[in-house]
Amino acid sequence: KRHGLSVRCVENYEHVQKPVKPSAVKKDEFTDARDGQVYKTVTIGKQTWMAQNLNYADSVKTPVLKGRSTSVETDDAELKKAYGMLYSWAAAMDSGSFDYSFMDKHFSQEPVRGICPEGWHLPMILEFEELLYAIGGWDKVHALKAKVGWHSNPGDDEYEFSLMAAGQYDEKNEVIGANHNAYVGETAFLWTADPVYETNKSFRNLRAYVYVLDESHVVYGEVMEKKEVYKSTYNAVRCVKNVDE
């Protein structure tokens, strides 16, 4: 307490006044001009989210996707499309690199569009927290889960957010198996635009945050919370609409 330290102030952040009822959710759709794919959307409180995982895969128009994205391994064509593409963090951020110099350029220019369509952006931790607040808490995520795409315990999808268990792809994890695609039908991983800032240089630039729907919480059973993962893993993307669009 005797040492003098710098102070940074944060503008007050106003949550939605109270949890949003499913009946108040506004549904719509939009077309991604890059490839013509049509996505459902839901407005929950003050936020408009894609109600489907991003499925953009044009590595010619977007070279950063080459070698940094993959589809989910499944024989069900409709489910494959619903799971969407899985992206490394570099691809999700549309950066092509993991270094902090990229983040330094973009950190003050929030939101970060990343791989999202024009007018949309990759969600930050704060935006995921706002979503969970709007539905009544991190342990109420059953209302966000899709009715399909889960091996067991599918959701009731009250908010029509249709969260899918697309799993995670890790090309370096030999334990997963030949296709390296784990947790399909079991777990949902969604990228955030927030990296993990490490003070230890040995671990710097390696990890970023995802939000994971975890069905094995020791207290609540089924929750959605942020976790650190390696940027080299491939995870799904849900985009949030820019507030000024």
Side-chain angles (χ1 to χ4, degrees), residues 3-43:
H3 300 288
L5 300 172
S6 299
V7 172
R8 286 286 184 96
C9 299
V10 180
E11 184 178 1
N12 292 344
Y13 183 79
E14 182 182 357
H15 280 296
V16 291
Q17 294 300 309
K18 57 183 178 180
V20 177
K21 295 180 180 180
S23 59
V25 173
K26 298 177 182 178
K27 292 164 283 186
D28 204 347
E29 63 181 33
F30 81 99
T31 301
D32 188 342
R34 298 173 296 183
D35 59 7
Q37 291 196 67
V38 179
Y39 293 90
K40 295 179 180 178
T41 69
V42 286
T43 299

Side-chain angles (χ1 to χ4, degrees), residues 31-171:
T31 301
D32 188 342
R34 298 173 296 183
D35 59 7
Q37 291 196 67
V38 179
Y39 293 90
K40 295 179 180 178
T41 69
V42 286
T43 299
I44 304 173
K46 299 178 180 179
Q47 299 175 311
T48 298
W49 289 79
M50 288 174 53
Q52 297 170 251
N53 289 352
L54 186 65
N55 196 41
Y56 179 66
D58 192 336
S59 60
V60 176
K61 291 182 179 178
T62 312
V64 71
L65 294 180
K66 190 174 182 178
R68 297 187 179 95
S69 60
T70 187
S71 57
V72 174
E73 296 289 339
T74 175
D75 295 328
D76 187 323
E78 289 188 12
L79 199 55
K80 189 184 189 79
K81 183 178 180 180
Y83 280 141
M85 294 292 290
L86 303 181
Y87 306 91
S88 72
W89 195 72
M93 294 290 287
D94 193 14
S95 69
S97 66
F98 297 148
D99 60 75
Y100 276 155
S101 63
F102 170 76
M103 281 307 301
D104 289 341
K105 288 187 291 183
H106 284 268
F107 204 70
S108 62
Q109 299 175 17
E110 298 172 324
V112 176
R113 175 182 171 183
I115 200 63
C116 294
E118 185 176 359
W120 297 73
H121 63 272
L122 198 64
M124 297 175 290
I125 288 174
L126 189 64
E127 291 174 304
F128 273 105
E129 291 298 313
E130 177 69 16
L131 172 65
L132 296 177
Y133 186 92
I135 67 167
W138 69 329
D139 57 334
K140 308 297 183 185
V141 292
H142 198 74
L144 296 180
K145 288 177 69 177
K147 297 178 181 179
V148 297
W150 296 83
H151 292 333
S152 61
N153 193 30
D156 52 35
D157 205 13
E158 286 186 275
Y159 290 90
E160 299 192 45
F161 189 82
S162 300
L163 182 60
M164 303 288 290
Q168 183 182 76
Y169 178 90
D170 188 349
E171 60 185 7

Side-chain angles (χ1 to χ4, degrees), residues 89 98 100 103 107 125 191-200 203-210 226-231:
W89 195 72
F98 297 148
Y100 276 155
M103 281 307 301
F107 204 70
I125 288 174
W191 278 123
T192 76
D194 292 281
V196 176
Y197 287 101
E198 302 278 5
T199 56
N200 187 330
F203 297 101
R204 191 167 293 173
N205 304 331
L206 295 180
R207 294 181 292 182
Y209 289 104
V210 294
K226 73 176 186 292
K227 290 187 178 180
E228 299 175 7
V229 299
Y230 284 103
K231 295 178 180 178

